[in-house]
Amino acid sequence: MADDNTKVRFELVDGVAVITLTDPTTLNAASMEMAGQLAAALNQAAETARAVLLTGEGRGFCSGANLSGGGTAGRPIDDDGKPDVGASLEKVFNPLVTQFRDLPIPIVTAVNGAAAGIGCSFALLGDIIVASESAYFLQAFRRIGLVPDGGSTYLLPRLIGKARAMEMALLGDKISARTALEWGLINRCVSDEELIPTAITLAKELANGPAALGHIRKLMWDSLDADWSGQLDAERRTQKAAGKTDDFLEGVAAFLQKRLASFKGR
């Protein structure tokens, strides 16, 4: 019997952890319950899979935080007698988006429909971001009198520059998938019908790759905060570790024998 409280579905397909947000009646709005289940799914993926594919069930990827209880419901009260809206970030969502960033395997996000609020952050935390033509990206916070969160103020200026990041955050306009592709916010824009097949193909390609892919994603993420000499040293240390893997020996052997490598992820 299906669990009515399940907000996240986990499936293992050919080495890919397919993680699906499953609250379509809210366009997969991110509740505290969903966040906890998503964190557990990412932990399971790190232990059992070689790549992750994250998507949303129904017409939306993730419509942002679940506000169904209103502005004060379930929120702790601060010393000034007003709700502390930042408490859930500190306890739940900031650790979750950091978990995304630090995952030891690559992530593909397949964005269908709305990627709004923190749902936009979930989408942009993918290493490869594929969006359907009907998808859009929205920094909706200004509409409810809040500020971008989930790492958006970190990610957006680095992905698309200060001017466009300011436009998204200050004006709160929907950014279509086509525009997102032109801006360099995402990697691919495909038809709605091709979204999941394309994302699965990419995720399987990553899952069949060497253990070095995990090192690559860490180097790229860490480079956003590194200086030149620090990054060169990180490359040296990581190359040393990658050179000790079985996959490196297999990759060199396959190259010399002019065949496709058969990587084991170790």
Side-chain angles (χ1 to χ4, degrees), residues 1-8 22-25 31 33-34 37:
M1 180 180 295
D3 185 351
D4 291 339
N5 293 320
T6 298
K7 307 294 183 184
V8 175
T22 57
D23 193 9
T25 58
S31 63
E33 185 178 27
M34 176 184 283
Q37 292 179 19

Side-chain angles (χ1 to χ4, degrees), residues 150-221:
S152 290
T153 60
Y154 180 94
L155 292 168
L156 288 173
R158 288 166 170 78
L159 289 170
I160 57 177
K162 172 178 167 288
R164 284 171 170 163
M166 283 288 193
E167 181 177 344
M168 285 188 70
L170 294 178
L171 297 180
D173 293 334
K174 294 180 181 179
I175 304 301
S176 70
R178 285 292 177 192
T179 298
L181 182 64
E182 292 171 5
W183 285 6
L185 192 64
I186 65 175
N187 299 91
R188 308 279 174 86
C189 177
V190 299
S191 69
D192 290 14
E193 295 76 16
E194 288 299 313
L195 176 64
I196 296 302
T198 299
I200 282 285
T201 297
L202 289 167
K204 287 182 177 180
E205 175 70 18
L206 295 174
N208 289 329
L213 298 188
H215 293 309
I216 290 171
R217 82 177 301 269
K218 178 172 173 52
L219 280 170
M220 292 295 187
W221 278 103

Side-chain angles (χ1 to χ4, degrees), residues 34-48:
M34 176 184 283
Q37 292 179 19
L38 181 53
L42 291 174
N43 281 333
Q44 186 176 356
E47 295 172 358
T48 61

Side-chain angles (χ1 to χ4, degrees), residues 63-209:
S63 59
N66 193 320
L67 301 175
S68 59
T72 60
R75 304 185 193 282
I77 302 302
D78 218 338
D79 294 340
D80 59 6
K82 296 182 178 180
D84 180 0
V85 183
S88 62
L89 297 180
E90 180 181 5
K91 295 178 181 178
V92 176
F93 289 105
N94 286 355
L96 177 59
V97 294
T98 301
Q99 184 182 3
F100 268 100
R101 185 201 64 182
D102 293 342
L103 206 69
I105 55 178
I107 303 171
V108 175
T109 49
V111 185
N112 51 309
I118 199 163
C120 184
S121 295
F122 291 165
L124 300 181
L125 283 161
D127 303 309
I128 304 291
I129 306 162
V130 186
S132 66
E133 290 177 338
S134 64
Y136 62 87
F137 300 82
L138 174 63
Q139 290 293 299
F141 301 94
R142 74 176 304 281
R143 301 185 182 188
I144 56 172
L146 291 178
V147 303
D149 60 26
S152 290
T153 60
Y154 180 94
L155 292 168
L156 288 173
R158 288 166 170 78
L159 289 170
I160 57 177
K162 172 178 167 288
R164 284 171 170 163
M166 283 288 193
E167 181 177 344
M168 285 188 70
L170 294 178
L171 297 180
D173 293 334
K174 294 180 181 179
I175 304 301
S176 70
R178 285 292 177 192
T179 298
L181 182 64
E182 292 171 5
W183 285 6
L185 192 64
I186 65 175
N187 299 91
R188 308 279 174 86
C189 177
V190 299
S191 69
D192 290 14
E193 295 76 16
E194 288 299 313
L195 176 64
I196 296 302
T198 299
I200 282 285
T201 297
L202 289 167
K204 287 182 177 180
E205 175 70 18
L206 295 174
N208 289 329

